[in-house]
Amino acid sequence: WALVSSPSAADLNGVAKSSPLDVWAVGAAGTILRYKVASLAVNHAGGAPGSYFNLSATNFAPNQAAVISVNGHVLQTTSTDGQGRLDFTLSSAGIEAGTYYLLVTVGSNQAVIRIIVDAGGTLWAQEGAYTVYPIPAGIGYTHFIYLSEINR
């Protein structure tokens, strides 16, 4: 939690969220606290094998160890910057079509995003000068089973 301000009672309801990822709370003494939810964004939600995907993790604790994993396989342990942000690129060269769930973990905070690699998708070239981590071959989710549930 980060201290935002200690407004008077009249100003208490006038505090607005600055983004949908902000959560506000009022402490016992009327102090307003702001908590930003960790998030993960990607420049392309999917693409052909061989594509590059830029990812940006935000609202994590600053200067902390960050574990990057895909479908349960750890790719790298790195760290967030002084603003709690981490930018990097994933390479899908040499992997099969499938669904890939990327998870960034910093302490007890996590953010996840899905990338779909499809042979019929657009081949996205590398953009920017971020650190590139290759996705290992053989870890893509290629089949999903949807089970119905019946309750009495």
Side-chain angles (χ1 to χ4, degrees), residues 18-42:
S18 57
S19 85
L21 298 176
D22 287 352
V23 177
W24 296 87
V26 179
T31 302
I32 295 178
L33 302 174
R34 176 182 177 197
Y35 178 77
K36 289 188 160 204
V37 177
S39 65
L40 191 55
V42 63

Side-chain angles (χ1 to χ4, degrees), residues 68-117:
I68 301 168
S69 59
V70 176
N71 290 357
H73 298 268
V74 174
L75 297 184
Q76 184 71 34
T77 298
T78 185
S79 62
T80 59
D81 67 12
Q83 304 301 314
R85 183 180 180 110
L86 175 62
D87 296 311
F88 58 96
T89 299
L90 288 181
S91 167
S92 66
I95 67 169
E96 65 280 358
T99 301
Y100 296 85
Y101 290 94
L102 176 78
L103 177 70
V104 173
T105 304
V106 177
S108 62
N109 291 324
Q110 296 181 323
V112 66
I113 197 162
R114 180 181 70 178
I115 297 172
I116 297 175
V117 176

